Amino acid sequence: MKKRLIITLYWLVFFTTNAISSTDLQQVPGTGIFMQSPHGFTASNRFTGFEQVDTKSSLMVLPLKDVSLDEVGQQMFAQEQLKKQNMTMLGREDLLFNGRMIGLVFLQQQTTAGVVEKIVRLIEGDEELVVINGIYLQSHKDQVYRPLREAILSAEWRDIPAPTGFEMVDFAFDVASGWEIREPGQLGRMVMLSLADAPRHSTPMDWPLVIVVPSLDDRTIHNLRESSIEMLNNVKGYAFGSIQSEQSREINGLKSYLIKSTGTDIETAEPLACWQLLIRGQNNKGYYRMLAIGNDLEIQAGQLIEGLIKTFTLK
């Protein structure tokens, strides 16, 4: 359902003479974004962008197709959308940087891990909109705010062809007939799939969604299982409760776990299902996570997921 939203923002206009040479910028893999790497951060193996593991801080770059800046801005910053995610807007800053007007939005979110703050910038390219999101715990703000802000301000969009298929990831599997990879590679080291005729940038109540992403750290099965549910509940506005079933199996010599949960869409009160497939990485390093969301996954995505389980391989 299309909603008309009115957003009132408090504008703080500042001007700066800081300059960064375009030759100092590096391309964020899989995107048309060139930016300065935030000091103290390293390129992430889990998503497009950078992270600082010790402080659990990140800078994520998410290109979107077929949407406008106004459309995404209204969806992201509408009061009802922020409230659903336990989030508040702290303010907005508009400034002149390297001869360009840049807008930053500052958000704060209450999570089980503590108070999280975000710096958000939207960059409009020729055929895509890029969301740049600096995320950090409020308790680490003194350490990471400045490098995140400087990196976000430095970002610029250039016309670079995007990768396709599985080019940006170190895994592959057969995609079932009737399904397609959405925005391939532009979500970085993850792959998003949906039905071929599904409306773009909608919700799982309109179409099932499958995301495959590596989580190559030392988190345990228990932590991964809980973090996925927490992400859905805190970020996506869903309410998932207890786990209904959990099965262990082997996929091409890799140990895996298939976990099924049920929940609801908070906004519509419609029932939802969530399936997590956690596949152990090579040399027992980390897990690859498949996260499927829909209102009837057995019918909607059963063939895709069974095909993924049978054909998943690491490059």
Side-chain angles (χ1 to χ4, degrees):
M1 182 178 70
K2 189 172 181 180
K3 299 179 180 177
R4 297 183 178 277
L5 305 169
I6 299 176
I7 304 173
T8 303
L9 300 178
Y10 293 93
W11 296 74
L12 300 173
V13 182
F14 295 94
F15 295 88
T16 179
T17 58
N18 291 345
I20 295 177
S21 168
S22 14
T23 58
D24 297 330
L25 306 182
Q26 59 178 294
Q27 183 181 8
V28 179
T31 77
I33 291 295
F34 285 72
M35 67 190 308
Q36 168 187 310
S37 173
H39 180 72
F41 285 65
T42 57
S44 175
N45 291 320
R46 301 181 297 121
F47 55 82
T48 298
F50 307 88
E51 62 184 336
Q52 190 178 88
V53 176
D54 290 345
T55 61
K56 298 181 180 179
S57 306
S58 59
L59 193 159
M60 303 182 72
V61 180
L62 303 175
L64 302 174
K65 291 287 188 182
D66 303 323
V67 293
S68 68
L69 188 148
D70 288 342
E71 181 183 358
V72 172
Q74 289 178 359
Q75 291 176 0
M76 288 183 64
F77 307 132
Q79 187 61 39
E80 62 184 62
Q81 182 68 19
L82 295 175
K83 183 178 180 181
K84 187 167 69 171
Q85 300 177 51
N86 294 321
M87 196 178 296
T88 56
M89 182 180 291
L90 300 178
R92 171 168 179 149
E93 179 181 353
D94 292 275
L95 63 157
L96 184 66
F97 188 87
N98 279 2
R100 302 189 306 273
M101 285 302 301
I102 293 174
L104 302 178
V105 176
F106 303 91
L107 304 172
Q108 186 179 91
Q109 184 178 27
Q110 302 291 332
T111 74
T112 56
V115 179
V116 172
E117 293 190 357
K118 303 182 180 184
I119 310 170
V120 183
R121 179 184 171 192
L122 306 181
I123 300 180
E124 200 164 24
D126 288 346
E127 297 181 356
E128 66 181 10
L129 181 76
V130 182
V131 181
I132 302 180
N133 203 349
I135 306 170
Y136 56 90
L137 286 167
Q138 189 182 56
S139 57
H140 294 302
K141 184 172 183 176
D142 290 345
Q143 298 169 248
V144 301
Y145 174 81
R146 183 173 179 178
L148 283 174
R149 176 188 169 91
E150 290 177 350
I152 292 171
L153 287 175
S154 74
E156 62 181 52
W157 184 88
R158 299 178 189 174
D159 188 10
I160 303 293
T164 59
F166 296 97
E167 290 181 21
M168 284 296 297
V169 296
D170 62 354
F171 58 85
F173 54 85
D174 291 347
V175 178
S177 175
W179 283 77
E180 67 177 5
I181 296 176
R182 290 292 177 93
E183 295 153 7
Q186 297 176 15
L187 292 176
R189 294 166 176 84
M190 65 178 73
V191 170
M192 177 189 294
L193 304 99
S194 73
L195 293 172
D197 59 352
R200 295 184 181 274
H201 308 296
S202 187
T203 70
M205 292 311 305
D206 300 309
W207 48 280
L209 169 72
V210 175
I211 300 174
V212 185
V213 54
S215 180
L216 301 180
D217 52 30
D218 295 326
R219 282 184 288 179
T220 64
I221 280 289
H222 172 76
N223 289 335
L224 282 170
R225 181 199 301 125
E226 298 303 320
S227 66
S228 293
I229 295 297
E230 179 184 345
M231 180 270 292
L232 293 171
N233 290 344
N234 287 337
V235 179
K236 296 297 184 181
Y238 306 141
F240 281 95
S242 59
I243 292 171
Q244 301 298 306
S245 66
E246 182 169 340
Q247 302 173 348
S248 61
R249 59 174 70 188
E250 201 169 272
I251 298 177
N252 289 331
L254 304 173
K255 192 172 183 179
S256 71
Y257 300 86
L258 180 61
I259 304 162
K260 297 183 179 181
S261 307
T262 57
T264 57
D265 183 310
I266 295 174
E267 184 175 1
T268 65
E270 295 289 338
L272 283 176
C274 173
W275 291 1
Q276 298 180 69
L277 179 65
L278 305 178
I279 305 172
R280 197 68 161 135
Q282 289 178 336
N283 301 319
N284 288 326
K285 182 182 179 183
Y287 286 88
Y288 291 81
R289 293 195 284 181
M290 182 217 72
L291 193 66
I293 310 168
N295 53 10
D296 192 345
L297 290 176
E298 293 283 359
I299 295 176
Q300 295 169 322
Q303 183 181 0
L304 172 74
I305 294 166
E306 280 303 313
L308 184 152
I309 290 173
K310 291 177 181 177
T311 63
F312 184 91
T313 57
L314 298 180
K315 298 177 182 177

